[in-house]
Amino acid sequence: MFIDTLEFEGLGNRSYLAGGRREAVVVDPPRDVDQVIALAARRGVRIAYVAETHVHNDYVTGGLELARLTGARYLVPAGAQVSFTRTPVADGDVSEVDEGLVLRAITTPGHTPHHTSYVLEEKGRAVAAFTGGSLLIGSVGRPDLVDPRLTEQLARAQHASVHRLAAALDDEVPVLPTHGFGSFCSSSQAEGDASTIGQERTSNDAFTLEADAFVKQVLAGLENVPAYYTHMGPANAAGPAPVDLTPPEPADAAQIAERLAAGEWVVDLRNRVAFADGHVAGSFNFEATGKLATYLAWLIPWGKSVTLLGDTPAQIADAQRELTRVGIDRLAAAATGDPATWVRHGERLVSFPRADFADLVGAHERGEDVVVLDVRRDSERANGFIEGSVHIPLHELHSRSGEVPDGTVWVHCAGGMRAAIAASLLEATGRKVVAIDDGFDAAADTGLSITRP
């Protein structure tokens, strides 16, 4: 028996391939199923089952396409309202994955009303619990993604579901969730990479708090929901189209200029240092090594055409793959190589300065006209902020840029990546910006006044 984990750091999710000598099951597969098929081939197993724990709200599943390509039975919770043929799974249903290896369904509503976990049993003994968006490592899946009217009810169901799981399983059984590794589907961000039922019993608030206190805590701690989530559930319920990873058309300087003039998004994937030093005027900086899919899909007007600029074709291909996972399926065009070739003859790349919090102190001391813009989320700012700073979370900045006061905008986040995105968005509107590329913890050490509510 084996269990392989596929990690998707950009989205904070995992998928799993588990099986025996001949056959296997895939749990919550990604949109780009080629890597799953390749992993099964390396294992020398046939994919006999594809299992979804729920209709996902944070990414587009590859389950339907994977089942079609492999001939696997597609297991989907019976309560999920979907528009395609599948094998509906009810509580207690058992599927034989391989000789002596079965998958048992346990309904665990909370993250969604129909959520189902799967317990892998080898010769009658539970060896793993695929908990999807139910029991996470140190947390649970958030209950507010389906319908605001159901949030409190689902939070209470989430508490009951994890207790039901724990009652059915021994302490040593590994907990293998889909969400919780940076995903906004988690009700809170927890530390840790691996866990067991026993560890969760002693450390997870879902076990250490009684139901009313747990529900109150979960509801109070819910973060903003990424805007693109509203498109993911319907796409998954309808049955996603096969992924298309054909390389985008190459774009020359004239085409890049035309796309910008047409109001399309030209996204520069290079690191924020290189971008600040020289970039195409009007382009936006979303680092390929950051949470590209999450933040680009969150900020971009849905359906807007995207052209990517990057260091290499491989960087473009990796970004394209990641973006398909959130439904940004076809890129308009792409360009790589020397950024100087991305602008027309006679035009030049533009730049803006980077700084740290000590530089901000110096600007204040020199009496410069400084606007400090904090683009962190509400929950981050609640732990402390620079006195006098303006607060507009990054995901709201594109529509609220007119609220930023006049002056040079010194923009910061918690570490620098989101500040670079924000600086590029503001610069494209004609604002003079400085991107603070520094950890927020360093702000207090410079003598800046920090307000702590």
Side-chain angles (χ1 to χ4, degrees), residues 56-368:
H56 302 281
N57 288 289
D58 64 326
Y59 71 94
V60 181
T61 181
L64 183 63
E65 177 67 0
L66 183 59
R68 184 187 70 81
L69 291 172
T70 62
R73 292 181 66 186
Y74 191 21
L75 309 180
V76 178
Q81 301 298 311
V82 296
S83 302
F84 49 82
T85 302
R86 85 288 192 200
T87 300
V89 177
D91 186 51
D93 284 355
V94 174
S95 303
E96 184 175 2
V97 177
D98 205 313
E99 184 178 352
L101 195 65
V102 301
L103 197 69
R104 186 181 303 276
I106 300 180
T107 54
T108 48
H111 186 48
T112 67
H114 60 265
H115 191 283
T116 299
S117 299
Y118 298 93
V119 175
L120 189 66
E121 299 176 352
E122 185 179 32
K123 297 180 180 178
R125 180 178 64 90
V127 293
F130 300 107
T131 54
S134 184
L135 177 60
L136 310 184
I137 297 177
S139 185
V140 296
R142 61 191 298 169
D144 61 328
L145 301 180
V146 177
D147 187 327
R149 296 169 297 180
L150 299 178
T151 298
E152 183 172 350
Q153 173 187 329
L154 289 176
R156 197 166 297 278
Q158 190 74 292
H159 186 268
S161 289
V162 299
H163 281 263
R164 184 178 185 221
L165 269 176
L169 299 170
D170 294 334
D171 281 351
E172 65 271 17
V173 175
V175 173
L176 303 177
T178 300
H179 305 312
F181 308 96
S183 168
F184 281 90
C185 269
S186 178
S187 64
S188 63
Q189 295 305 317
E191 297 181 359
D193 190 58
S195 189
T196 63
I197 291 292
Q199 289 173 315
E200 294 306 308
R201 285 185 202 272
T202 60
S203 61
N204 194 312
D205 288 342
F207 292 107
T208 61
L209 297 177
E210 54 86 22
D212 288 341
F214 169 78
V215 170
K216 182 178 180 180
Q217 177 176 285
V218 167
L219 298 185
L222 293 173
E223 294 270 17
N224 300 102
V225 179
Y228 71 92
Y229 276 25
T230 190
H231 303 285
M232 301 295 97
N236 287 325
V243 69
D244 181 2
L245 294 175
T246 304
E249 293 294 325
D252 60 21
Q255 291 169 322
I256 293 170
E258 289 171 2
R259 294 190 179 283
L260 283 167
E264 298 181 10
W265 275 39
V266 174
V267 173
D268 192 324
L269 301 170
R270 295 175 300 148
N271 70 71
R272 55 186 180 267
V273 176
F275 181 87
D277 285 346
H279 54 271
V280 178
S283 62
F284 303 138
N285 182 214
F286 290 80
E287 289 183 316
T289 55
K291 296 178 77 70
L292 169 66
T294 295
Y295 284 108
L296 180 55
W298 196 339
L299 271 65
I300 192 171
W302 199 250
K304 179 77 74 172
S305 293
V306 178
T307 292
L308 295 182
L309 309 178
D311 291 315
T312 65
Q315 187 181 60
I316 298 293
D318 288 344
Q320 180 181 11
R321 179 178 289 271
E322 187 169 350
L323 292 175
T324 61
R325 296 172 186 155
V326 292
I328 299 177
D329 285 351
R330 286 300 304 146
L331 301 174
T336 60
D338 183 357
T341 66
W342 300 341
V343 292
R344 294 171 295 193
H345 181 69
E347 297 179 340
R348 300 178 63 183
L349 299 173
V350 297
S351 64
F352 55 71
R354 294 166 51 252
D356 57 23
F357 285 108
D359 295 322
L360 176 59
V361 172
H364 281 304
E365 291 174 344
R366 292 188 297 272
E368 296 180 11

